[in-house]
Amino acid sequence: MELVKLQLDAPFAVVTIDRPECLNALSSQVYREMIAILRQVEAMDEIRVVILTGAGEKAFAAGADIAQMVGENAIAGRRLSGLCHETADLLENMRQVTIAAVNGYALGGGCELTLACDLRLASENARFALPEVSLGIIPGGGGTQRLARLIGVGRAKEMIFTGDQIDAQEAYRMGLVNHVVPRDQLMSACRALGEKIVSRSGYAVALAKSAVNSSMDIDRRNGAEREKDLLGLAFATRDKQEGMEAFLARRTPQFEDF
Ligand code: DAK
């Protein structure tokens, strides 16, 4: 791939948007390459955690590629929207845990990619914004939906209506990111968090991911039903037996490969 790089180091896959000369702007080619890579990674049994980041010192991704969008009509815009949504949906629903390692600007489509990840870790220099209204458009990669669910409607509307950037500490206070760490510790912090998750039952984590994601799409009563069903499924696994027996025997559980 030209614009998105994949580095495999099981149980981790690191996916890097690699256009630092334009702050990793997200062209349709970037989205296409990301979709291909995420599909490939999703099929890899040995990979449990996907870390998404941007190349260079300044940006995770400074949004959709304005140089490409400026010449596009409504049909091309609709097509781009499809790619944005497909990428975000893959990140959100893939069987692996996805972590955004936000190493600088995460603007527009870049911010939307972080929102689709399960977890977000930011370096101290990270900055977030949905500045689309400054360009005469609105967020088109799920930003109007996911941001409000994550930080609340009022705060999301302020960010979207003003397009203002917020720094990493403010993002942390809002609940937009899970942790803020020094720049040089960003990847190691992502890996440490990933290692901890990998030490738990992989199947249970995947069931939990599916249950939490359901809460975004369905009402609370049906969500509770789904939670009960998934918990019932968890009770049928060897991991449940192993986890509970290990607890009682005061030993570390040996979970099945997932
Ligand atoms: N697209 C293309 N090029 C970009 C870019 C972008 N988004 N962001 C930066 N660059 C390029 C700059 O043009 C510059 O290129 P050269 O002039 O060197 O050739 C280079 O990257 C370095 O940028 P700056 O010189 O501007 O660097 P600074 O440090 O001065 O400023 C900045 C950094 C991040 C504050 C600034 O670059 C900036 O404001 N960038 C644009 C941010 C932005 O507005 N992003 C777009 C948000 S809108 C859709 C789905 C999704 C979307 C749209 C439609 N459909 C469903 C249709 C998403 C929209 C967006 O993401």
Side-chain angles (χ1 to χ4, degrees):
M1 297 282 175
E2 241 180 276
L3 304 178
V4 183
K5 300 288 184 280
L6 172 63
Q7 184 201 338
L8 296 172
D9 176 19
F12 296 98
V14 179
V15 178
T16 305
I17 306 162
D18 192 15
R19 294 182 84 194
E21 68 286 356
C22 56
L23 307 187
N24 303 318
L26 302 162
S27 61
S28 40
Q29 186 184 340
V30 172
Y31 282 115
R32 276 196 201 92
E33 290 187 16
M34 232 183 315
I35 289 167
I37 283 177
L38 292 174
R39 287 210 180 110
Q40 190 188 338
V41 168
E42 194 176 22
M44 294 176 177
D45 289 345
E46 70 280 16
I47 299 301
R48 296 271 305 272
V49 176
V50 177
I51 300 174
L52 178 64
T53 194
E57 293 303 308
K58 281 181 72 173
F60 174 83
D65 188 336
I66 300 171
Q68 177 183 357
M69 286 192 296
V70 68
E72 288 187 332
N73 62 14
I75 292 171
R78 183 71 174 73
R79 201 178 304 129
L80 178 66
S81 183
L83 292 172
C84 298
H85 280 276
E86 195 175 339
T87 312
D89 289 350
L90 267 168
L91 284 166
E92 192 167 71
N93 297 311
M94 64 197 297
R95 56 178 276 281
Q96 290 92 350
V97 171
T98 53
I99 303 178
V102 188
N103 56 315
Y105 290 111
L107 310 181
C111 183
E112 289 174 319
L113 284 179
T114 75
L115 296 174
C117 290
D118 296 317
L119 304 164
R120 284 153 293 282
L121 268 63
S123 59
E124 285 162 340
N125 66 324
R127 296 184 73 80
F128 296 81
L130 289 174
E132 282 83 351
V133 293
S134 313
L135 299 168
I137 56 173
I138 68 167
T144 60
Q145 308 301 302
R146 290 191 180 93
L147 186 65
R149 286 174 163 94
L150 196 60
I151 65 172
V153 171
R155 284 174 163 159
K157 281 182 176 168
E158 185 174 342
M159 276 185 75
I160 293 168
F161 294 175
T162 64
D164 282 349
Q165 289 182 14
I166 59 168
D167 65 20
Q169 288 302 340
E170 196 177 349
Y172 177 71
R173 277 194 295 277
M174 284 180 171
L176 178 46
V177 299
N178 297 77
H179 302 282
V180 180
V181 297
R183 172 74 183 91
D184 60 353
Q185 292 167 29
L186 180 60
M187 293 311 278
S188 57
C190 288
R191 281 172 185 266
L193 182 56
E195 292 284 6
K196 186 184 279 189
I197 294 168
V198 167
S199 75
R200 313 306 194 215
S201 161
Y203 192 58
V205 170
L207 291 180
K209 173 168 172 166
S210 173
V212 175
N213 281 354
S214 295
S215 73
M216 306 293 167
D217 295 328
I218 56 181
D219 63 85
R220 208 164 57 83
R221 201 167 52 80
N222 282 307
E225 288 305 312
R226 185 158 159 70
E227 183 182 272
K228 289 180 216 167
D229 289 341
L230 291 173
L231 176 62
L233 191 55
F235 264 72
T237 64
R238 201 187 72 78
D239 276 5
K240 169 259 174 186
Q241 210 56 35
E242 169 64 9
M244 294 190 182
E245 284 175 9
F247 173 82
L248 294 173
R250 296 180 182 277
R251 62 174 173 78
T252 306
Q254 299 296 316
F255 292 120
E256 284 191 75
D257 287 341
F258 172 68

PDB file of all heavy atoms in Angstrom, residues 122-144:
ATOM      1  N   ALA A 122      -4.267  10.025  23.593  1.00  0.00           N
ATOM      2  CA  ALA A 122      -3.769  11.231  22.921  1.00  0.00           C
ATOM      3  C   ALA A 122      -2.412  11.617  23.480  1.00  0.00           C
ATOM      4  O   ALA A 122      -2.167  11.507  24.686  1.00  0.00           O
ATOM      5  CB  ALA A 122      -4.748  12.381  23.126  1.00  0.00           C
ATOM      6  N   SER A 123      -1.528  12.092  22.599  1.00  0.00           N
ATOM      7  CA  SER A 123      -0.292  12.698  23.079  1.00  0.00           C
ATOM      8  C   SER A 123      -0.613  14.136  23.491  1.00  0.00           C
ATOM      9  O   SER A 123      -1.652  14.689  23.113  1.00  0.00           O
ATOM     10  CB  SER A 123       0.783  12.664  21.998  1.00  0.00           C
ATOM     11  OG  SER A 123       0.335  13.349  20.849  1.00  0.00           O
ATOM     12  N   GLU A 124       0.306  14.732  24.277  1.00  0.00           N
ATOM     13  CA  GLU A 124       0.026  16.059  24.836  1.00  0.00           C
ATOM     14  C   GLU A 124      -0.198  17.115  23.753  1.00  0.00           C
ATOM     15  O   GLU A 124      -0.856  18.117  23.999  1.00  0.00           O
ATOM     16  CB  GLU A 124       1.180  16.482  25.758  1.00  0.00           C
ATOM     17  CG  GLU A 124       1.141  15.730  27.090  1.00  0.00           C
ATOM     18  CD  GLU A 124       2.451  15.773  27.841  1.00  0.00           C
ATOM     19  OE1 GLU A 124       3.502  16.049  27.208  1.00  0.00           O
ATOM     20  OE2 GLU A 124       2.432  15.526  29.065  1.00  0.00           O
ATOM     21  N   ASN A 125       0.353  16.899  22.560  1.00  0.00           N
ATOM     22  CA  ASN A 125       0.195  17.889  21.489  1.00  0.00           C
ATOM     23  C   ASN A 125      -1.033  17.632  20.601  1.00  0.00           C
ATOM     24  O   ASN A 125      -1.227  18.326  19.601  1.00  0.00           O
ATOM     25  CB  ASN A 125       1.451  17.909  20.592  1.00  0.00           C
ATOM     26  CG  ASN A 125       1.618  16.607  19.827  1.00  0.00           C
ATOM     27  OD1 ASN A 125       1.317  15.537  20.353  1.00  0.00           O
ATOM     28  ND2 ASN A 125       2.077  16.685  18.587  1.00  0.00           N
ATOM     29  N   ALA A 126      -1.860  16.664  20.974  1.00  0.00           N
ATOM     30  CA  ALA A 126      -3.021  16.341  20.123  1.00  0.00           C
ATOM     31  C   ALA A 126      -4.041  17.481  20.155  1.00  0.00           C
ATOM     32  O   ALA A 126      -4.209  18.167  21.164  1.00  0.00           O
ATOM     33  CB  ALA A 126      -3.677  15.045  20.593  1.00  0.00           C
ATOM     34  N   ARG A 127      -4.698  17.674  19.043  1.00  0.00           N
ATOM     35  CA  ARG A 127      -5.764  18.673  18.966  1.00  0.00           C
ATOM     36  C   ARG A 127      -6.910  18.076  18.159  1.00  0.00           C
ATOM     37  O   ARG A 127      -6.695  17.436  17.130  1.00  0.00           O
ATOM     38  CB  ARG A 127      -5.273  19.971  18.316  1.00  0.00           C
ATOM     39  CG  ARG A 127      -4.182  20.660  19.132  1.00  0.00           C
ATOM     40  CD  ARG A 127      -3.780  21.991  18.536  1.00  0.00           C
ATOM     41  NE  ARG A 127      -4.781  23.035  18.727  1.00  0.00           N
ATOM     42  CZ  ARG A 127      -4.943  23.731  19.856  1.00  0.00           C
ATOM     43  NH1 ARG A 127      -4.183  23.482  20.902  1.00  0.00           N
ATOM     44  NH2 ARG A 127      -5.864  24.679  19.941  1.00  0.00           N
ATOM     45  N   PHE A 128      -8.116  18.317  18.647  1.00  0.00           N
ATOM     46  CA  PHE A 128      -9.314  17.726  18.027  1.00  0.00           C
ATOM     47  C   PHE A 128     -10.242  18.835  17.550  1.00  0.00           C
ATOM     48  O   PHE A 128     -10.399  19.854  18.226  1.00  0.00           O
ATOM     49  CB  PHE A 128     -10.072  16.877  19.043  1.00  0.00           C
ATOM     50  CG  PHE A 128      -9.312  15.684  19.534  1.00  0.00           C
ATOM     51  CD1 PHE A 128      -8.358  15.812  20.533  1.00  0.00           C
ATOM     52  CD2 PHE A 128      -9.545  14.424  18.996  1.00  0.00           C
ATOM     53  CE1 PHE A 128      -7.650  14.712  20.991  1.00  0.00           C
ATOM     54  CE2 PHE A 128      -8.841  13.321  19.448  1.00  0.00           C
ATOM     55  CZ  PHE A 128      -7.893  13.462  20.440  1.00  0.00           C
ATOM     56  N   ALA A 129     -10.880  18.626  16.422  1.00  0.00           N
ATOM     57  CA  ALA A 129     -11.931  19.550  15.974  1.00  0.00           C
ATOM     58  C   ALA A 129     -12.732  18.899  14.866  1.00  0.00           C
ATOM     59  O   ALA A 129     -12.249  17.999  14.162  1.00  0.00           O
ATOM     60  CB  ALA A 129     -11.325  20.858  15.454  1.00  0.00           C
ATOM     61  N   LEU A 130     -13.968  19.371  14.730  1.00  0.00           N
ATOM     62  CA  LEU A 130     -14.775  19.059  13.547  1.00  0.00           C
ATOM     63  C   LEU A 130     -15.015  20.412  12.864  1.00  0.00           C
ATOM     64  O   LEU A 130     -16.022  21.085  13.137  1.00  0.00           O
ATOM     65  CB  LEU A 130     -16.093  18.370  13.949  1.00  0.00           C
ATOM     66  CG  LEU A 130     -15.930  16.935  14.453  1.00  0.00           C
ATOM     67  CD1 LEU A 130     -17.254  16.380  14.965  1.00  0.00           C
ATOM     68  CD2 LEU A 130     -15.385  16.023  13.348  1.00  0.00           C
ATOM     69  N   PRO A 131     -14.073  20.853  11.996  1.00  0.00           N
ATOM     70  CA  PRO A 131     -14.141  22.213  11.441  1.00  0.00           C
ATOM     71  C   PRO A 131     -14.926  22.322  10.135  1.00  0.00           C
ATOM     72  O   PRO A 131     -14.803  23.327   9.424  1.00  0.00           O
ATOM     73  CB  PRO A 131     -12.655  22.526  11.195  1.00  0.00           C
ATOM     74  CG  PRO A 131     -12.048  21.205  10.853  1.00  0.00           C
ATOM     75  CD  PRO A 131     -12.860  20.150  11.578  1.00  0.00           C
ATOM     76  N   GLU A 132     -15.741  21.311   9.837  1.00  0.00           N
ATOM     77  CA  GLU A 132     -16.394  21.267   8.519  1.00  0.00           C
ATOM     78  C   GLU A 132     -17.203  22.510   8.202  1.00  0.00           C
ATOM     79  O   GLU A 132     -17.242  22.969   7.054  1.00  0.00           O
ATOM     80  CB  GLU A 132     -17.289  20.019   8.417  1.00  0.00           C
ATOM     81  CG  GLU A 132     -16.541  18.722   8.155  1.00  0.00           C
ATOM     82  CD  GLU A 132     -15.966  18.078   9.414  1.00  0.00           C
ATOM     83  OE1 GLU A 132     -15.990  18.719  10.483  1.00  0.00           O
ATOM     84  OE2 GLU A 132     -15.485  16.939   9.324  1.00  0.00           O
ATOM     85  N   VAL A 133     -17.906  23.087   9.214  1.00  0.00           N
ATOM     86  CA  VAL A 133     -18.769  24.242   8.889  1.00  0.00           C
ATOM     87  C   VAL A 133     -17.943  25.429   8.392  1.00  0.00           C
ATOM     88  O   VAL A 133     -18.472  26.289   7.686  1.00  0.00           O
ATOM     89  CB  VAL A 133     -19.680  24.661  10.087  1.00  0.00           C
ATOM     90  CG1 VAL A 133     -20.712  23.588  10.387  1.00  0.00           C
ATOM     91  CG2 VAL A 133     -18.872  25.020  11.320  1.00  0.00           C
ATOM     92  N   SER A 134     -16.651  25.461   8.738  1.00  0.00           N
ATOM     93  CA  SER A 134     -15.784  26.532   8.202  1.00  0.00           C
ATOM     94  C   SER A 134     -15.543  26.350   6.706  1.00  0.00           C
ATOM     95  O   SER A 134     -15.087  27.270   6.032  1.00  0.00           O
ATOM     96  CB  SER A 134     -14.422  26.528   8.896  1.00  0.00           C
ATOM     97  OG  SER A 134     -14.576  26.431  10.274  1.00  0.00           O
ATOM     98  N   LEU A 135     -15.798  25.144   6.208  1.00  0.00           N
ATOM     99  CA  LEU A 135     -15.600  24.852   4.778  1.00  0.00           C
ATOM    100  C   LEU A 135     -16.937  24.793   4.036  1.00  0.00           C
ATOM    101  O   LEU A 135     -16.986  24.413   2.873  1.00  0.00           O
ATOM    102  CB  LEU A 135     -14.885  23.506   4.611  1.00  0.00           C
ATOM    103  CG  LEU A 135     -13.486  23.383   5.221  1.00  0.00           C
ATOM    104  CD1 LEU A 135     -13.034  21.923   5.222  1.00  0.00           C
ATOM    105  CD2 LEU A 135     -12.497  24.240   4.449  1.00  0.00           C
ATOM    106  N   GLY A 136     -18.009  25.113   4.748  1.00  0.00           N
ATOM    107  CA  GLY A 136     -19.322  25.094   4.104  1.00  0.00           C
ATOM    108  C   GLY A 136     -19.940  23.725   3.994  1.00  0.00           C
ATOM    109  O   GLY A 136     -20.861  23.509   3.204  1.00  0.00           O
ATOM    110  N   ILE A 137     -19.447  22.768   4.778  1.00  0.00           N
ATOM    111  CA  ILE A 137     -20.052  21.425   4.762  1.00  0.00           C
ATOM    112  C   ILE A 137     -20.303  20.991   6.215  1.00  0.00           C
ATOM    113  O   ILE A 137     -20.084  21.781   7.144  1.00  0.00           O
ATOM    114  CB  ILE A 137     -19.167  20.382   4.026  1.00  0.00           C
ATOM    115  CG1 ILE A 137     -17.760  20.305   4.643  1.00  0.00           C
ATOM    116  CG2 ILE A 137     -19.092  20.711   2.535  1.00  0.00           C
ATOM    117  CD1 ILE A 137     -16.897  19.185   4.069  1.00  0.00           C
ATOM    118  N   ILE A 138     -20.751  19.781   6.388  1.00  0.00           N
ATOM    119  CA  ILE A 138     -20.935  19.252   7.745  1.00  0.00           C
ATOM    120  C   ILE A 138     -20.136  17.952   7.865  1.00  0.00           C
ATOM    121  O   ILE A 138     -19.723  17.370   6.851  1.00  0.00           O
ATOM    122  CB  ILE A 138     -22.427  19.002   8.084  1.00  0.00           C
ATOM    123  CG1 ILE A 138     -23.007  17.841   7.253  1.00  0.00           C
ATOM    124  CG2 ILE A 138     -23.250  20.270   7.872  1.00  0.00           C
ATOM    125  CD1 ILE A 138     -24.353  17.345   7.751  1.00  0.00           C
ATOM    126  N   PRO A 139     -19.879  17.494   9.093  1.00  0.00           N
ATOM    127  CA  PRO A 139     -19.146  16.232   9.227  1.00  0.00           C
ATOM    128  C   PRO A 139     -19.847  15.118   8.448  1.00  0.00           C
ATOM    129  O   PRO A 139     -21.075  14.990   8.512  1.00  0.00           O
ATOM    130  CB  PRO A 139     -19.191  15.966  10.742  1.00  0.00           C
ATOM    131  CG  PRO A 139     -19.337  17.321  11.350  1.00  0.00           C
ATOM    132  CD  PRO A 139     -20.209  18.090  10.395  1.00  0.00           C
ATOM    133  N   GLY A 140     -19.040  14.326   7.735  1.00  0.00           N
ATOM    134  CA  GLY A 140     -19.649  13.332   6.850  1.00  0.00           C
ATOM    135  C   GLY A 140     -19.178  11.918   7.087  1.00  0.00           C
ATOM    136  O   GLY A 140     -19.493  11.020   6.317  1.00  0.00           O
ATOM    137  N   GLY A 141     -18.424  11.703   8.154  1.00  0.00           N
ATOM    138  CA  GLY A 141     -17.945  10.344   8.438  1.00  0.00           C
ATOM    139  C   GLY A 141     -18.472   9.831   9.771  1.00  0.00           C
ATOM    140  O   GLY A 141     -17.781   9.081  10.461  1.00  0.00           O
ATOM    141  N   GLY A 142     -19.678  10.252  10.118  1.00  0.00           N
ATOM    142  CA  GLY A 142     -20.286   9.762  11.359  1.00  0.00           C
ATOM    143  C   GLY A 142     -20.101  10.700  12.543  1.00  0.00           C
ATOM    144  O   GLY A 142     -20.560  10.411  13.648  1.00  0.00           O
ATOM    145  N   GLY A 143     -19.444  11.855  12.324  1.00  0.00           N
ATOM    146  CA  GLY A 143     -19.134  12.771  13.432  1.00  0.00           C
ATOM    147  C   GLY A 143     -20.351  13.310  14.142  1.00  0.00           C
ATOM    148  O   GLY A 143     -20.360  13.452  15.369  1.00  0.00           O
ATOM    149  N   THR A 144     -21.413  13.600  13.397  1.00  0.00           N
ATOM    150  CA  THR A 144     -22.605  14.153  14.054  1.00  0.00           C
ATOM    151  C   THR A 144     -23.275  13.099  14.936  1.00  0.00           C
ATOM    152  O   THR A 144     -24.021  13.438  15.855  1.00  0.00           O
ATOM    153  CB  THR A 144     -23.656  14.661  13.024  1.00  0.00           C
ATOM    154  OG1 THR A 144     -24.051  13.548  12.211  1.00  0.00           O
ATOM    155  CG2 THR A 144     -23.085  15.767  12.141  1.00  0.00           C
TER     156      THR A 144
END
